[in-house]
Amino acid sequence: MSAVDEFAALHKAGDPLVLFNVWDVGSAKAVAEAGARAIATGSASLAGAQGFADGEGIPFSALLATVRAISQAIDLPLSVDFETGFAPHAEEVAANAAALAEAEAIGCNLEDRLLDQDTLREPAEQADRIAAAAGAGLFVNARTDVFLRPLMKGGNPNEPRLVDAAIQRAYIYAAAGARSFFAPGLSDPDCVAQLCEAVALPVNIMRLPDMVSNAQLAALGVRRISYGPAPWSEAMERVREAAALASSV
């Protein structure tokens, strides 16, 4: 079994792969020592830890250097948040994905939003980008922002029409070579269950405040759970609180 297939096997029904997202070597080591089965970076976390904005604000060379450092420091599968691939065209996505694979990443998230516009890529165009990353040997966790876009605007991401739109994208992304389907922003148990039932790929859900437990997500059919930027945000908040306390003495 290849390393990618071994990673794929971690996405189990009833026993989902839980990824407590990291941002550097130190956080990766801490998460590994806590018993993680795999390591995954978060885009906002990794960029923010180096002083860059999310949304590919970090240079790809800096991302790649961090990926190399993490992969050399841990002995676990490493998935990288690749955002939109750090490239405008599928051919360049393929080259960047190959660089991630050379840096010993086993997988990547690849999202379907357009960074400079408030919209999503057409499914066929995104499928080409997914195929490019998969062709480089990576396990592609195809992320759709169908739900995250309305959530970030203060709207309701848990609407049946959005679930239907996500299902249509999932079929196309699977045919392009995606190995799992990431739907951040979705949180309603009934909607999550509907998505998991309709999509053949392992479904990845991101933890949000007031969401049902990981055990309940597993019962709904979720096979991968991500923590996104929350671990980094919470760690930085504790640092700020400790620094404020120290400064007040």
Side-chain angles (χ1 to χ4, degrees):
M1 184 183 294
S2 71
V4 170
D5 287 338
E6 289 177 357
F7 181 61
L10 297 176
H11 298 68
K12 299 177 182 177
D15 183 22
L17 175 62
V18 177
L19 297 169
F20 197 79
N21 298 81
V22 307
W23 54 92
D24 60 10
V25 171
S27 58
K29 283 186 172 181
V31 171
E33 290 166 0
R37 290 181 285 175
I39 299 295
T41 67
S43 65
S45 311
L46 192 153
Q50 298 190 47
F52 296 100
D54 194 17
E56 297 182 11
I58 186 172
F60 183 66
S61 59
L63 170 67
L64 202 58
T66 303
V67 170
R68 286 198 188 95
I70 294 173
S71 64
Q72 291 170 6
I74 61 168
D75 188 25
L76 289 171
L78 173 62
S79 183
V80 176
D81 193 329
F82 198 24
E83 300 199 65
T84 70
F86 288 79
H89 304 112
E91 295 80 4
E92 296 160 307
V93 172
N96 288 344
L100 286 179
E102 189 275 331
E104 299 186 36
I106 201 75
C108 71
N109 289 358
L110 190 63
E111 62 198 56
D112 59 11
R113 68 180 176 129
L114 287 163
L115 289 177
D116 59 348
Q117 301 177 37
D118 184 28
T119 188
L120 304 183
R121 291 186 190 275
E122 288 300 317
E125 180 186 0
Q126 184 64 11
D128 289 341
R129 298 167 74 84
I130 290 168
L138 294 178
F139 176 109
V140 178
N141 185 34
R143 168 177 148 175
T144 184
D145 277 15
V146 164
F147 306 105
L148 194 59
R149 286 177 67 238
L151 178 65
M152 297 300 289
K153 293 179 178 181
N156 177 22
N158 298 296
E159 295 186 17
R161 64 179 182 83
L162 296 179
V163 177
D164 291 340
I167 290 169
Q168 292 174 12
R169 285 181 177 263
Y171 290 153
I172 295 169
Y173 297 169
R179 301 291 295 270
S180 59
F181 186 65
F182 189 18
L186 187 66
S187 61
D188 176 78
D190 290 338
C191 290
V192 170
Q194 180 185 350
L195 184 67
C196 292
E197 183 176 356
V199 175
L201 294 174
V203 170
N204 181 186
I205 294 295
M206 185 174 73
R207 285 217 59 82
L208 294 171
D210 302 320
M211 182 180 280
V212 298
S213 70
N214 285 356
Q216 289 171 296
L217 287 175
L220 294 172
V222 175
R223 287 194 268 168
R224 176 166 167 166
I225 300 170
S226 300
Y227 276 70
W232 178 71
S233 297
E234 291 169 5
M236 293 304 99
E237 182 58 30
R238 287 195 290 273
V239 169
R240 282 189 289 270
E241 291 172 356
L245 181 62
S247 299
S248 66
V249 176

